[in-house]
Amino acid sequence: MTNPIPFRWEGDCFTPMPGFGKRCDELFVVGQAYRLVEQEDRSAASHRHYFACINTAWENLPERLSADFPTPDHLRRFALIRAGYADSRTLVASSKAEAVRLAAFVKPMDSYAVVVVTDATVTVWTARSQSAKAMGKKDFQESKDAVLDVIAGLIGTDPATLSAQAGQAA
């Protein structure tokens, strides 16, 4: 199942909203138990504002950082990683030289990943997805705030100023 099916609570049971009965018949077996999880809709305005903030910050990156972030998405994913919204994998090599070769091999697999070599160890961080499927409203808002804090620090401003500038540009 890829898209949530909306239901209405009737006081003693959940009933699919009009137009979703056929889909329920295709997906579910009568008498079988299923887990129902509430999914709060994320605000489209908050989503647009978030990406406007990132674009504004990217357009105003200090020259010393512009080569590190060729696109706004590189900046966003770096900030997600820095804010802790990331998955990491650690690879142990037989030597520091081997770790450097391994890092050079791994890095092109994901241009957004942060790859760090420490002695004979390679650590690869990849940003977590912020898609509606991957993050609900609460998690998205928390990650949004954390990312904007990281980005504001990179460009030498505070998150409120960044937010206000993006609001003017949007």
Side-chain angles (χ1 to χ4, degrees):
M1 179 170 31
T2 57
N3 295 318
I5 298 172
F7 289 86
R8 175 182 295 118
W9 176 244
E10 302 291 348
D12 59 351
C13 68
F14 284 95
T15 303
M17 297 297 283
F20 289 91
K22 182 178 178 187
R23 186 156 165 230
C24 288
D25 288 339
E26 293 169 356
L27 295 172
F28 304 121
V29 176
V30 173
Q32 185 169 337
Y34 295 92
R35 294 178 186 261
L36 185 69
V37 178
E38 181 181 9
Q39 178 180 334
E40 290 186 58
D41 290 333
R42 289 180 6 189
S43 162
S46 176
H47 185 85
R48 284 190 304 273
H49 176 260
Y50 174 58
F51 283 95
C53 288
I54 292 169
N55 285 329
T56 297
W58 181 75
E59 291 168 353
N60 292 290
L61 280 176
E63 198 170 306
R64 64 182 169 75
L65 294 175
S66 60
D68 294 335
F69 306 107
T71 68
D73 207 36
H74 281 86
L75 177 61
R76 179 182 69 89
R77 291 185 191 210
F78 172 83
L80 277 165
I81 292 166
R82 177 71 61 88
Y85 291 89
D87 296 314
S88 68
R89 290 166 307 290
T90 302
L91 307 163
V92 179
S94 59
S95 66
K96 179 161 179 126
E98 185 63 26
V100 169
R101 284 191 291 277
L102 184 58
F105 176 77
V106 169
K107 179 61 180 163
M109 293 179 183
D110 183 348
S111 67
Y112 300 109
V114 173
V115 180
V116 176
V117 176
T118 307
D119 298 322
T121 303
V122 179
T123 306
V124 181
W125 286 277
T126 53
R128 289 192 185 143
S129 172
Q130 289 183 298
S131 71
K133 184 177 181 180
M135 281 189 182
K137 181 180 181 177
K138 181 179 177 282
D139 290 338
F140 175 74
Q141 187 61 50
E142 289 172 358
S143 70
K144 173 185 170 180
D145 292 342
V147 164
L148 295 180
D149 284 347
V150 168
I151 292 173
L154 278 175
I155 63 172
T157 190
D158 60 276
T161 302
L162 176 59
S163 181
Q165 289 173 344
Q168 293 169 0

